[in-house]
Amino acid sequence: MADYLVRYGTMRFQGIFVWNNAKQEIFRGDYVIIRTDRGLEIGQVLCEATGEVLEQLPNELPRGTLVRLMTHEDANELNRIHYHETEEFQTCLKCIARLGLQMHLVDIEHIFGGERIVVYYLAEGRIDFRELVKVLAMEFQTRIEMRQIGVRDEAKLLADYGDCGKEVCCNTYLTIMPPVSMRMAKLQKATLDPSKISGRCGRLKCCLRYEYPVYEEFLSELPSIGSRVRHEGNVARVVGWEILARQVYIEGDDRIRKLVSVEDIQVLEKKKYPLPKDGKEEE
């Protein structure tokens, strides 16, 4: 018996699933049939859930049973489900229009075992979809689950490639969307052009957060802007940073600016300089 970390579902959920068949090995990348609280689903094995792996994972990951490796018949059934999802999507669109609901249909997910169909939608506020659920349940003869999502989740469902040329992070490995603030862009001296720092979702790019801790660490080793320093026997004032290079711009009484290494200066007087603010984070 062994536990495995498995990714599953349209929203790329992750969970820990137990495998009881010791005679059959499972490897990273294998497609498997799992039983979750939503029913039977297709999942992809990421790795064995060893103690070291579990230490890196949040405690609230769902758990379930790994039923079997995906068979050729399972693959055919999955293709059939995906084929009919297009028709189901169009049917759902027509029902929403007929009922006059103010919601934007993003995607539908037909659970492999047929236990339910999950409808993902965008809306400004709360939507009374009780009548829609009744209509769809009669149409598809299965349980209907309505799930309201945000624009970042919409990108997770529909986006393909980012400006970097790689698949968008939210559509591959991100399971939790990290909050990103304008302060992170300012500190990294990224352009503040919204069209260049916004992702496919229209919000600030998640990648702005990846290097932010390094910038903060390096910045803590630099004198604040306004600090008085001595360089080559002359007193000057810090007026700017090159954080990753660990260099500072200094300006003396002659108003000439120089870019020097932090190791070549002696701090005489530190000044507190507020970091770029706009601490409002985008969820």
Side-chain angles (χ1 to χ4, degrees):
M1 186 173 71
D3 290 340
Y4 289 89
L5 178 64
V6 179
R7 180 170 56 208
Y8 64 97
T10 299
M11 293 295 289
R12 277 76 173 172
F13 301 123
Q14 289 184 5
I16 306 297
F17 294 86
V18 61
W19 177 237
N20 293 313
N21 188 353
K23 296 180 180 180
Q24 190 171 24
E25 287 189 276
I26 289 182
F27 300 97
R28 173 180 171 83
D30 283 346
Y31 285 92
V32 292
I33 308 299
I34 56 176
R35 186 175 298 280
T36 72
D37 58 354
R38 306 194 305 175
L40 285 181
E41 302 194 54
I42 299 289
Q44 185 178 25
V45 175
L46 299 180
C47 63
E48 186 175 351
T50 62
E52 183 179 356
V53 170
L54 292 175
E55 288 179 0
Q56 307 299 320
L57 298 174
N59 295 326
E60 63 273 12
L61 279 183
R63 290 181 174 269
T65 304
L66 204 158
V67 179
R68 64 178 182 271
L69 285 168
M70 186 175 178
T71 64
H72 182 69
E73 290 75 17
D74 293 328
N76 289 337
E77 175 63 14
L78 183 62
N79 289 334
R80 187 192 67 80
I81 289 174
H82 286 333
Y83 176 80
H84 287 292
E85 275 181 341
T86 302
E87 298 175 2
E88 293 166 348
F89 186 89
Q90 293 302 320
T91 299
C92 194
L93 275 179
K94 292 176 183 177
C95 293
I96 290 172
R98 186 169 72 246
L99 295 173
L101 299 176
Q102 299 301 308
M103 55 190 291
H104 170 62
L105 181 62
V106 176
D107 199 7
I108 66 169
E109 179 183 12
H110 194 133
I111 302 302
F112 178 76
E115 289 86 354
R116 71 182 71 190
I117 291 177
V118 185
V119 178
Y120 298 96
Y121 70 95
L122 290 170
E124 291 295 329
R126 293 179 62 86
I127 300 292
D128 185 356
F129 47 70
R130 287 175 293 184
E131 187 62 30
L132 176 63
V133 169
K134 291 180 183 178
V135 172
L136 294 179
M138 291 180 61
E139 181 72 30
F140 301 135
Q141 294 298 302
T142 189
R143 179 180 175 183
I144 304 299
E145 178 182 331
M146 304 295 296
R147 177 162 294 202
Q148 185 173 358
I149 61 174
V151 290
R152 297 183 77 187
D153 289 317
E154 181 186 21
K156 184 173 184 176
L157 287 169
L158 303 180
D160 43 22
Y161 293 91
D163 296 339
C164 59
K166 295 185 176 181
E167 291 181 284
V168 291
C169 299
C170 59
N171 205 353
T172 49
Y173 73 93
L174 281 183
T175 55
I176 300 175
M177 299 297 189
V180 186
S181 72
M182 185 62 74
R183 171 181 173 178
M184 297 176 183
K186 291 178 179 178
L187 188 60
Q188 296 174 55
K189 293 189 176 179
T191 173
L192 300 185
D193 182 348
S195 65
K196 294 182 178 179
I197 61 174
S198 299
R200 297 292 298 274
C201 58
R203 301 289 183 88
L204 292 172
K205 291 180 178 178
C206 294
C207 52
L208 286 171
R209 189 174 186 84
Y210 297 160
E211 295 181 1
Y212 181 65
V214 176
Y215 275 85
E216 280 197 315
E217 178 185 345
F218 284 10
L219 182 60
S220 67
E221 300 171 1
L222 301 179
S224 301
I225 290 178
S227 298
R228 291 176 63 248
V229 298
R230 188 186 305 279
H231 177 255
E232 296 181 348
N234 299 315
V235 176
R237 185 169 55 91
V238 176
V239 295
W241 302 305
E242 287 294 339
I243 298 177
L244 292 185
R246 301 191 184 190
Q247 296 176 320
V248 294
Y249 288 98
I250 61 173
E251 182 180 288
D253 295 335
D254 53 7
R255 300 295 182 184
I256 296 177
R257 291 193 175 190
K258 298 179 182 178
L259 180 62
V260 299
S261 172
V262 67
E263 286 84 8
D264 296 334
I265 60 174
Q266 176 188 0
V267 179
L268 302 177
E269 178 189 6
K270 290 185 178 180
K271 285 210 171 181
K272 290 185 178 180
Y273 182 80
L275 293 176
K277 287 192 177 177
D278 185 356
K280 190 175 181 181
E281 295 184 330
E282 295 195 352
E283 299 296 341

